[in-house]
Amino acid sequence: MGGVGKTTLAQLVYNDRRVEDCFNVKAWVCVSQEPSISKITKDILEEVTGGTFDGNFNQLQLELKGRLKGKKFLIVLDDVWNDKYADWDVLRRPLMTGVPGSVVLVTTRNESVASIMQTVPIYNLKGLSCDDSWFLFVRHASRGGSATLHPNLEPVGKEIVGKCRGLPLAAKTLGGLMRSKKDAVDWERICKSNLWDLSNDEILPALYLSYHYLPSHLKRCFAYCAIFPKDYDFEKDELVYLWMAEGFIEQQSRGNKLMEELGDEYFNDLVSRSFFQRSSVDPTGYVMHDLINDLAKYVSSEFCFRLDCEDSCKINGRIRHLSYAITECNLAQKLESIHEAGFLRTFWLFDWSSYFVTDATFNLLLTRKRLRVLSLSHLRTLTELPDSIGHLKHLRYLNLSATAIQYLPATLCGVYNMQTLILHQCRELVQLPNNLGRLINLRHLDVRETNLQVMPLQMDKLTKLHVLTDFIIGRGNGSCIKMLGGLQHLGGQLNVWKLQHVMEAQDALEANLKVKKYLKQLNFMWDGDTHDSVHERTVLEQLQPHTNIQSLSIVGYRGTRFPDWVGNSAFSSIMERIEIRNCSSLRSFPLELFPGLKALILTRCLNLETLSASEVTGSNFPCLTCLEIRECPKLFSSLQETMPAPNLTRLLLMGCLGVESFPGKRLLPSTLTILKIWDFPSLTSLDWEGLQNLHSLRELQICNCPNLKCLPEEGFPLNLSHLYVSWCPLLEQRCRPDDGEDWPKIAHIPELEINFQKITTLEPSA
């Protein structure tokens, strides 16, 4: 049965530390309906390796076989439907190379799938008890997550819960619906609704009820999500931008709110009602449960169509929103029936289907004049857009991310309604059209990880921009930083590149960063020496941001000290993260001016000597939890006695020269949970006196310490659960299982990795 909690239970097992410590390799693959065995093999391989692979089925199987050989692995195949024995017999062949104790865990609604794949008794998951269902329902129905409801609502509430049939998803979703209903009459009406008698085997009545009572604006937004394939991870901003492009954000209810802010509210409302849930794969992503996805497809079937292998129906003239998510099935002929969809407003190509789009189909797409959303992400064969893209006058959202696009035609700049242009990972793209400023309604421009050399001269005309990921300053008469001055609504993160090209400090002042209150993260990058540290300091002085800034990165700055605004109490109290990199002339960093700082990353600041701008040192920084110091030799010598952070939990030290013994007594705080010691060429011993008080230490990494001879005689703190040793030849010999001299000191540690080889020290219980 769907919605009973199979995936949730499997996730709890998969992410449990006790399980994790028993396996060298783990992989989670969402299978869903009708995938090819080749696709599943590819997904497993990419999960195991963290990379991407292309090739025929035989090549994929051979690669997977090699990757799993001699490893103890846990592979979860979630939501399997295929009950063809021959397919699974082929799939399992590369899995047979794993060592005994390897596990393939399968979740399925289909009893025949379980019987075909089982090697141990099947575990049939039952619904929740009445008490547990009630507890879950109340937690979602009451504001603030209270464990009780108003007495007047309890009787009808329990009747509603009884109709959920013990399904957690139904209880959660209905709880989210009832949270907005305060009157007992509303509860009675929902309880007595004839929608409970919905005769559809695919849709749970409880879920349809939750949709039925959504406000109309949320109904539109949710139904649109039918374009997403099952198990698709999506970002909040991604979906909000799509809603904006389709006109789903109600103008009359905006008031003084931005469309993005109102879209956030819509999204959060659907999350609170359990239509979206946090992804288990991407910490910032969201996903729809399969049954919720089925519901979206059901309620939008007249206007939304998702083309995949299981669909046999032809695209009809009423379709407004079309997505293409085909794996091994080449349905080009079906897709060419797009000509029937004369009113098409959305076409979304998902990256695993990119190889099946023909030139004829692509050209046909560009004749759909009512298109508002066009996503060709990961279409690797796409190197250019035809001039006819300019005919799509209603286009508001264009996603070309991870394509091989080399340039954008000038005609694109005539698409005046464009709101969102995504060029992320277009690594062949070196310039934007000179007349980009004509896109006067553009709100989101994502040019991360491109090869742009300069920004077009009309950037200052894009006054509605809310998101500009990167701004590259040109040389001489190239794009000037003062063009940022008119972009008053910029928010989120902004990377400013090639600051060495700023000739006049006045231009930096006219960028007017001080008034951009929506910016949260600023990254300033110099990429070349101006041979004038005073000028660089003056430029940075004029780049003072608004006091709302929370994260600041300064890279390649040649000044000997920072301007006065760095550390100004007006905003330093809310600053959470600072990164300083390749600032070779810098001698001090005023840490005492950042009482609320949580993370400080210092890299290749060769002359940095102190974390204080004053002569008086010894201050403590209770909020600092993460400190990373890479290749700052003079600074490390000044920190030999104590770290200035009593609540530090994560410490990385890299490139510390001349240090023979580490850590010194009382150097490290007892709160430390992660310690990474990298590139200590002179280190010969680890000091037990400095380690013994690290009662919270869970993870220790020792990398590239070629002269480290042995581990402390006393071993390590008892709570250490992860030890990684690499490029330490003397130590690696002593840490060999069974016969290494230091093996008895570490054999109890659950997760060991020596020279990039995981060593299993705990066997899973039966």
Side-chain angles (χ1 to χ4, degrees), residues 135-238:
F135 173 81
L136 186 60
F137 172 82
V138 170
R139 198 178 74 179
H140 286 267
S142 59
R143 297 186 181 275
S146 171
T148 59
L149 286 178
H150 191 281
N152 290 345
L153 300 177
E154 277 202 21
V156 64
K158 289 187 175 180
E159 191 173 348
I160 290 173
V161 169
K163 297 184 178 187
C164 292
R165 297 185 292 171
L167 298 180
L169 179 63
K172 285 170 53 180
T173 308
L174 271 176
L177 166 66
M178 306 313 293
R179 185 189 310 196
S180 61
K181 310 293 182 184
K182 300 178 181 179
D183 196 321
V185 175
D186 292 331
W187 284 52
E188 285 284 355
R189 183 169 64 251
I190 291 173
C191 182
K192 304 302 182 185
S193 171
N194 58 12
L195 293 176
W196 287 105
D197 301 322
L198 180 71
S199 57
N200 188 311
D201 293 336
E202 300 297 323
I203 306 300
L204 290 175
L207 300 186
Y208 187 79
L209 266 168
S210 300
Y211 167 79
H212 180 77
Y213 285 100
L214 281 176
S216 59
H217 64 279
L218 292 185
K219 281 184 176 179
R220 289 194 302 271
C221 292
F222 169 70
Y224 184 77
C225 298
I227 67 170
F228 293 149
K230 289 184 177 179
D231 304 313
Y232 176 73
D233 284 355
F234 53 90
E235 300 288 333
K236 176 193 285 191
D237 287 347
E238 174 187 12

Side-chain angles (χ1 to χ4, degrees), residues 659-663 682-687 707-712:
V659 177
E660 297 182 0
S661 179
F662 179 85
S682 302
L683 186 67
T684 59
S685 65
L686 295 174
D687 191 342
N707 291 302
L708 184 57
K709 298 176 181 177
C710 62
L711 300 178

Side-chain angles (χ1 to χ4, degrees), residues 49-323:
T49 62
T52 57
F53 289 86
D54 295 318
N56 60 42
F57 178 51
N58 185 57
Q59 291 171 330
L60 294 173
Q61 283 222 315
L62 289 175
E63 183 69 29
L64 180 59
K65 181 178 179 180
R67 297 282 184 162
L68 296 180
K69 187 175 182 180
K71 304 285 181 64
K72 180 184 281 189
F73 58 78
L74 169 63
I75 296 174
V76 176
L77 301 178
D78 184 39
D79 197 22
V80 177
W81 288 79
N82 187 335
D83 59 358
K84 298 175 182 176
Y85 176 80
D87 285 348
W88 295 116
D89 187 52
V90 172
L91 178 68
R92 71 186 182 93
R93 290 173 188 170
L95 309 182
M96 302 303 290
T97 59
V99 301
S102 295
V103 174
V104 177
L105 177 63
V106 176
T107 71
T108 182
R109 300 185 219 173
N110 191 333
E111 189 83 26
S112 64
V113 170
S115 62
I116 286 172
M117 301 184 72
Q118 74 173 104
T119 59
V120 295
I122 298 170
Y123 184 78
N124 286 299
L125 194 60
K126 297 175 181 169
L128 297 178
S129 67
C130 293
D131 289 343
D132 288 340
S133 294
W134 175 247
F135 173 81
L136 186 60
F137 172 82
V138 170
R139 198 178 74 179
H140 286 267
S142 59
R143 297 186 181 275
S146 171
T148 59
L149 286 178
H150 191 281
N152 290 345
L153 300 177
E154 277 202 21
V156 64
K158 289 187 175 180
E159 191 173 348
I160 290 173
V161 169
K163 297 184 178 187
C164 292
R165 297 185 292 171
L167 298 180
L169 179 63
K172 285 170 53 180
T173 308
L174 271 176
L177 166 66
M178 306 313 293
R179 185 189 310 196
S180 61
K181 310 293 182 184
K182 300 178 181 179
D183 196 321
V185 175
D186 292 331
W187 284 52
E188 285 284 355
R189 183 169 64 251
I190 291 173
C191 182
K192 304 302 182 185
S193 171
N194 58 12
L195 293 176
W196 287 105
D197 301 322
L198 180 71
S199 57
N200 188 311
D201 293 336
E202 300 297 323
I203 306 300
L204 290 175
L207 300 186
Y208 187 79
L209 266 168
S210 300
Y211 167 79
H212 180 77
Y213 285 100
L214 281 176
S216 59
H217 64 279
L218 292 185
K219 281 184 176 179
R220 289 194 302 271
C221 292
F222 169 70
Y224 184 77
C225 298
I227 67 170
F228 293 149
K230 289 184 177 179
D231 304 313
Y232 176 73
D233 284 355
F234 53 90
E235 300 288 333
K236 176 193 285 191
D237 287 347
E238 174 187 12
L239 186 51
V240 169
Y241 296 167
L242 289 170
W243 289 340
M244 289 171 56
E246 298 293 354
F248 295 158
I249 308 296
E250 293 185 338
Q251 301 291 320
Q252 63 271 22
S253 64
R254 282 173 55 192
N256 293 324
K257 292 180 180 178
L258 300 171
M259 277 198 290
E260 290 83 354
E261 292 174 332
L262 199 56
D264 273 0
E265 292 182 8
Y266 288 9
F267 190 96
N268 293 334
D269 201 347
L270 288 169
V271 171
S272 71
R273 297 168 186 260
S274 298
F275 284 94
F276 305 148
Q277 59 192 38
R278 282 286 187 182
S279 166
S280 61
V281 178
D282 179 359
T284 65
Y286 293 83
V287 70
M288 289 189 293
H289 188 282
D290 280 0
L291 293 182
I292 297 290
N293 191 293
D294 288 338
L295 174 64
K297 192 173 180 180
Y298 175 74
V299 300
S300 66
S301 58
E302 186 176 355
F303 299 108
C304 286
F305 189 77
R306 189 169 67 235
L307 193 59
D308 48 32
C309 286
E310 63 188 78
D311 289 308
S312 58
C313 55
K314 191 177 181 181
I315 299 171
N316 64 56
R318 295 189 303 275
I319 294 300
R320 299 292 186 271
H321 312 294
L322 174 66
S323 64

